[in-house]
Amino acid sequence: MKKTVTSLADGRELIYYDSADDTVRDAIDRRPLDAVSTSSEVRRDPLLGDSVAIASHRQGRTYHPPANECPLCPSQGDRLSEIPDSHYDVAVFENRFPSLAGDAGRCEVVCFTSDHDASFADLTEEQAALVLEAWTDRTAELAELDQVTQVFCFENRGAEIGVTLGHPHGQIYGYPFVTPRTELMLRSAHKHREETGRNLFDDVVARELADGARVVLSGEHWVAFVPYAAHWPYEVHLYPRRRVADLRDLDEAARTEFPQIYLELLRRFDRIFGPGEPPTPYISAWHQAPFRVAGREDFALHLELFTIRRTSGKLKFLAGSESGMSAFINDVPPEAAAQRLREVASE
């Protein structure tokens, strides 16, 4: 893997990740861009104890542009984009409309491929492995920033999720705080350690493997299962069998197997609702241990993949109970979801 760091016309960082070591990246951003101006502010909610990013500048961000004006496609002739080069493998750049910026954190965009019409599931194993390298490298770089406490790599896929750019891409957030979901996990892990002397994540994985009813895929180094108390209609958690705190700690064997397992999961997600159905909308979220916090050593890196589609043509809306009280109601039994995901193995 070759990494090339450069800058866009407004000073934002752009990073190319290439499979070939002899790739040259010397294209210049020719756009007449003004300096980025953001108004990100993090406010603490005294009742819930969580943090909210206030980012009014995002109201003006690019919204559903036509394919020939996509800002994530490579630049071609006079059509200039966020990627100055005419092609790329994987590209990462600072978001021009970040939710978090400066002392309030950092937001980056990850372009998985230069092919506008592809999806992550269309990538080859080599391409998916390069994305994993990019996620890992960005985690390592952002971990060194004083204002970043936790790194979150994720992909929103589909208009139903709220995606405003159709090009296959994800994002990386460097939060200046520990996110609420992670705080809950750390709290549960601490309580479990005190009560049993064991690691909570290890016990969860062991229980799913022993039960087997919710296991979807099982490799030598990774295991994917629908959690016992799944919140979403179709939800899969993917864990490395050797517990690590974040992406930096994965060994070479786990890195090699990851593309096989993950691509198979994504392809099965697109087959859940049968032939002729539109691509399944999903959120794919890496959960990594925050930095410089108590209990970090007990956290387990894992990926959570889920869709808001509950059946053909119908979405799972977060209505009164979920939005008002954070109390989820799931219409699909986790065992049935796992069975369906086993049935739709890729051909």
Side-chain angles (χ1 to χ4, degrees):
M1 186 268 286
K2 181 180 180 182
K3 175 182 176 182
T4 305
V5 181
T6 183
S7 296
L8 296 172
D10 54 11
R12 286 175 295 134
E13 190 173 41
L14 166 67
I15 308 162
Y16 294 101
Y17 295 90
D18 289 289
S19 296
D21 291 336
D22 59 351
T23 304
V24 176
R25 298 293 183 189
D26 55 7
I28 304 299
D29 185 3
R30 295 180 282 124
R31 297 173 297 171
L33 297 180
D34 295 328
V36 174
S37 177
T38 64
S39 57
S40 286
E41 176 188 358
V42 174
R43 298 183 182 181
R44 188 79 170 171
D45 185 324
L47 296 182
L48 298 180
D50 60 4
S51 297
V52 178
I54 310 297
S56 60
H57 62 275
R58 284 175 53 78
Q59 289 280 36
R61 65 188 184 274
T62 308
Y63 187 80
H64 292 298
N68 62 355
E69 296 178 15
C70 174
L72 307 185
C73 286
S75 293
Q76 299 286 345
D78 293 331
R79 189 180 66 77
L80 306 178
S81 74
E82 292 279 62
I83 317 295
D85 216 325
S86 59
H87 70 284
Y88 63 86
D89 290 347
V90 175
V92 178
F93 59 87
E94 289 183 74
N95 198 327
R96 185 166 175 79
F97 304 97
S99 302
L100 308 164
D103 291 338
R106 180 171 167 122
C107 291
E108 299 179 343
V109 176
V110 184
C111 299
F112 303 139
T113 171
S114 59
D115 184 353
H116 180 85
D117 297 318
S119 68
F120 202 117
D122 296 323
L123 301 182
T124 65
E125 290 184 11
E126 181 183 30
Q127 289 175 304
L130 186 60
V131 175
L132 177 61
E133 289 292 329
W135 283 332
T136 304
D137 182 72
R138 298 316 302 149
T139 296
E141 291 285 334
L142 295 178
E144 299 300 317
L145 300 180
D146 291 339
Q147 69 268 36
V148 172
T149 300
Q150 184 176 357
V151 173
F152 178 42
C153 306
F154 65 100
E155 180 192 1
N156 297 326
R157 193 257 201 139
E160 300 94 329
I161 298 294
V163 174
T164 57
L165 297 176
H167 195 103
H169 73 287
Q171 299 179 66
I172 301 175
Y173 278 18
Y175 292 106
F177 51 80
V178 179
T179 60
R181 283 179 63 84
T182 303
E183 282 190 338
L184 288 173
M185 291 184 206
L186 288 171
R187 191 182 312 159
S188 297
H190 176 71
K191 181 180 179 182
H192 190 79
R193 175 69 74 183
E194 284 191 327
E195 293 177 349
T196 69
R198 300 191 305 272
N199 180 272
L200 173 61
F201 295 95
D202 291 348
D203 283 358
V204 166
V205 173
R207 183 179 76 169
E208 295 298 343
L209 286 170
D211 183 301
R214 291 173 296 278
V215 174
V216 176
L217 283 171
S218 182
E220 184 178 355
H221 303 285
W222 295 85
V223 59
F225 56 85
V226 177
Y228 175 74
H231 289 58
W232 299 95
Y234 291 90
E235 174 181 346
V236 176
H237 293 190
L238 177 62
Y239 279 79
R241 288 180 179 266
R242 183 180 70 88
R243 175 166 49 89
V244 296
D246 61 42
L247 288 165
R248 298 174 297 177
D249 297 329
L250 289 174
D251 60 26
E252 195 57 38
R255 292 183 184 281
T256 299
E257 188 180 71
F258 172 78
Q260 306 162 25
I261 297 287
Y262 186 51
L263 289 173
E264 175 66 15
L265 276 179
L266 293 181
R267 289 162 186 166
R268 291 192 189 192
F269 257 57
D270 273 342
R271 300 160 76 97
I272 292 173
F273 304 105
E277 288 291 319
T280 301
Y282 65 72
I283 292 174
S284 178
W286 279 110
H287 290 261
Q288 305 195 77
F291 314 119
R292 303 175 291 276
V293 299
R296 183 179 197 278
E297 67 283 353
D298 257 349
F299 196 86
L301 167 76
H302 64 284
L303 182 144
E304 298 185 6
L305 173 68
F306 59 91
T307 180
I308 63 171
R309 184 177 292 163
R310 57 186 175 86
T311 190
S312 179
K314 297 179 181 178
L315 302 180
K316 164 65 176 177
F317 291 102
L318 299 190
S321 187
E322 292 89 356
S323 295
M325 283 294 166
S326 294
F328 273 70
I329 301 166
N330 190 353
D331 303 314
V332 180
E335 293 74 18
Q339 177 62 31
R340 180 59 181 160
L341 285 163
R342 288 193 293 267
E343 292 172 351
V344 294
S346 298
E347 297 177 354

Short mmCIF file of all heavy atoms in Angstrom, two decimals, residues 41-54 177-178 180 183 323-324 326:
data_model
loop_
_atom_site.label_atom_id
_atom_site.label_comp_id
_atom_site.label_asym_id
_atom_site.label_seq_id
_atom_site.Cartn_x
_atom_site.Cartn_y
_atom_site.Cartn_z
N GLU A 41 -19.74 23.48 17.14
CA GLU A 41 -19.70 23.70 18.59
C GLU A 41 -20.30 22.48 19.26
O GLU A 41 -21.32 21.94 18.82
CB GLU A 41 -20.52 24.94 18.94
CG GLU A 41 -20.63 25.23 20.43
CD GLU A 41 -21.60 26.35 20.73
OE1 GLU A 41 -22.17 26.93 19.78
OE2 GLU A 41 -21.82 26.61 21.93
N VAL A 42 -19.66 21.98 20.30
CA VAL A 42 -20.17 20.84 21.05
C VAL A 42 -20.77 21.33 22.35
O VAL A 42 -20.12 22.03 23.13
CB VAL A 42 -19.06 19.80 21.33
CG1 VAL A 42 -19.58 18.69 22.24
CG2 VAL A 42 -18.54 19.21 20.02
N ARG A 43 -22.04 20.99 22.57
CA ARG A 43 -22.73 21.39 23.79
C ARG A 43 -23.13 20.16 24.59
O ARG A 43 -23.60 19.17 24.03
CB ARG A 43 -23.97 22.22 23.45
CG ARG A 43 -23.65 23.52 22.73
CD ARG A 43 -24.91 24.33 22.49
NE ARG A 43 -24.63 25.57 21.76
CZ ARG A 43 -25.54 26.47 21.44
NH1 ARG A 43 -26.82 26.28 21.78
NH2 ARG A 43 -25.20 27.56 20.77
N ARG A 44 -22.99 20.25 25.89
CA ARG A 44 -23.32 19.16 26.80
C ARG A 44 -24.76 19.27 27.28
O ARG A 44 -25.19 20.34 27.72
CB ARG A 44 -22.37 19.19 28.00
CG ARG A 44 -22.48 17.99 28.93
CD ARG A 44 -21.76 16.80 28.38
NE ARG A 44 -21.65 15.71 29.35
CZ ARG A 44 -21.23 14.51 29.05
NH1 ARG A 44 -20.85 14.24 27.82
NH2 ARG A 44 -21.15 13.56 29.97
N ASP A 45 -25.53 18.18 27.16
CA ASP A 45 -26.90 18.15 27.65
C ASP A 45 -26.87 17.81 29.14
O ASP A 45 -26.46 16.71 29.52
CB ASP A 45 -27.70 17.10 26.89
CG ASP A 45 -29.17 17.09 27.25
OD1 ASP A 45 -29.50 17.32 28.44
OD2 ASP A 45 -30.01 16.83 26.37
N PRO A 46 -27.28 18.73 30.03
CA PRO A 46 -27.17 18.48 31.46
C PRO A 46 -28.14 17.39 31.97
O PRO A 46 -27.89 16.79 33.01
CB PRO A 46 -27.50 19.84 32.09
CG PRO A 46 -28.37 20.52 31.08
CD PRO A 46 -27.85 20.07 29.75
N LEU A 47 -29.22 17.13 31.22
CA LEU A 47 -30.17 16.12 31.66
C LEU A 47 -29.74 14.72 31.27
O LEU A 47 -29.76 13.79 32.08
CB LEU A 47 -31.55 16.42 31.06
CG LEU A 47 -32.22 17.72 31.51
CD1 LEU A 47 -33.60 17.83 30.87
CD2 LEU A 47 -32.35 17.78 33.02
N LEU A 48 -29.35 14.54 30.02
CA LEU A 48 -28.95 13.22 29.54
C LEU A 48 -27.47 12.94 29.72
O LEU A 48 -27.03 11.79 29.70
CB LEU A 48 -29.32 13.07 28.06
CG LEU A 48 -30.81 13.16 27.73
CD1 LEU A 48 -31.02 13.00 26.23
CD2 LEU A 48 -31.60 12.10 28.49
N GLY A 49 -26.68 14.00 29.88
CA GLY A 49 -25.24 13.82 30.06
C GLY A 49 -24.50 13.53 28.78
O GLY A 49 -23.33 13.15 28.82
N ASP A 50 -25.16 13.68 27.62
CA ASP A 50 -24.47 13.45 26.36
C ASP A 50 -24.13 14.77 25.69
O ASP A 50 -24.43 15.85 26.21
CB ASP A 50 -25.30 12.56 25.44
CG ASP A 50 -26.66 13.16 25.10
OD1 ASP A 50 -26.93 14.30 25.53
OD2 ASP A 50 -27.44 12.49 24.40
N SER A 51 -23.47 14.68 24.55
CA SER A 51 -23.01 15.88 23.84
C SER A 51 -23.68 15.98 22.49
O SER A 51 -23.94 14.97 21.82
CB SER A 51 -21.49 15.84 23.66
OG SER A 51 -20.83 15.85 24.92
N VAL A 52 -23.96 17.22 22.05
CA VAL A 52 -24.59 17.48 20.77
C VAL A 52 -23.72 18.45 19.99
O VAL A 52 -23.30 19.48 20.52
CB VAL A 52 -26.00 18.09 20.96
CG1 VAL A 52 -26.62 18.41 19.61
CG2 VAL A 52 -26.91 17.14 21.75
N ALA A 53 -23.43 18.10 18.73
CA ALA A 53 -22.66 19.00 17.86
C ALA A 53 -23.63 19.95 17.17
O ALA A 53 -24.58 19.52 16.52
CB ALA A 53 -21.87 18.21 16.83
N ILE A 54 -23.40 21.25 17.31
CA ILE A 54 -24.18 22.27 16.63
C ILE A 54 -23.35 22.74 15.43
O ILE A 54 -22.25 23.26 15.60
CB ILE A 54 -24.50 23.46 17.55
CG1 ILE A 54 -25.08 22.98 18.89
CG2 ILE A 54 -25.43 24.44 16.85
CD1 ILE A 54 -26.40 22.26 18.77
N PHE A 177 -15.16 13.55 22.48
CA PHE A 177 -15.76 12.96 23.67
C PHE A 177 -16.00 11.48 23.41
O PHE A 177 -15.89 11.00 22.29
CB PHE A 177 -17.08 13.65 24.01
CG PHE A 177 -18.04 13.76 22.85
CD1 PHE A 177 -18.84 12.68 22.46
CD2 PHE A 177 -18.14 14.94 22.11
CE1 PHE A 177 -19.71 12.77 21.39
CE2 PHE A 177 -19.02 15.04 21.03
CZ PHE A 177 -19.80 13.95 20.67
N VAL A 178 -16.33 10.75 24.47
CA VAL A 178 -16.72 9.35 24.32
C VAL A 178 -18.21 9.33 23.98
O VAL A 178 -19.02 9.93 24.67
CB VAL A 178 -16.46 8.55 25.61
CG1 VAL A 178 -16.91 7.10 25.44
CG2 VAL A 178 -14.98 8.60 25.98
N PRO A 180 -22.15 8.24 23.50
CA PRO A 180 -23.05 7.61 24.48
C PRO A 180 -23.11 6.08 24.38
O PRO A 180 -23.12 5.40 25.41
CB PRO A 180 -24.40 8.24 24.14
CG PRO A 180 -24.06 9.58 23.57
CD PRO A 180 -22.81 9.36 22.79
N GLU A 183 -20.00 4.69 25.94
CA GLU A 183 -20.04 4.83 27.39
C GLU A 183 -20.89 3.72 28.01
O GLU A 183 -20.52 3.16 29.05
CB GLU A 183 -20.60 6.20 27.78
CG GLU A 183 -19.60 7.34 27.65
CD GLU A 183 -20.12 8.63 28.26
OE1 GLU A 183 -21.35 8.77 28.41
OE2 GLU A 183 -19.29 9.50 28.59
N SER A 323 -37.69 7.00 19.51
CA SER A 323 -37.19 8.37 19.50
C SER A 323 -37.46 9.10 20.81
O SER A 323 -36.65 9.91 21.26
CB SER A 323 -37.83 9.16 18.34
OG SER A 323 -37.42 8.63 17.10
N GLY A 324 -38.61 8.82 21.41
CA GLY A 324 -38.95 9.54 22.63
C GLY A 324 -38.34 8.97 23.88
O GLY A 324 -38.05 9.71 24.83
N SER A 326 -35.89 6.05 23.69
CA SER A 326 -34.74 5.18 23.37
C SER A 326 -35.03 3.73 23.75
O SER A 326 -34.13 2.99 24.14
CB SER A 326 -33.46 5.67 24.08
OG SER A 326 -33.06 6.92 23.57
#
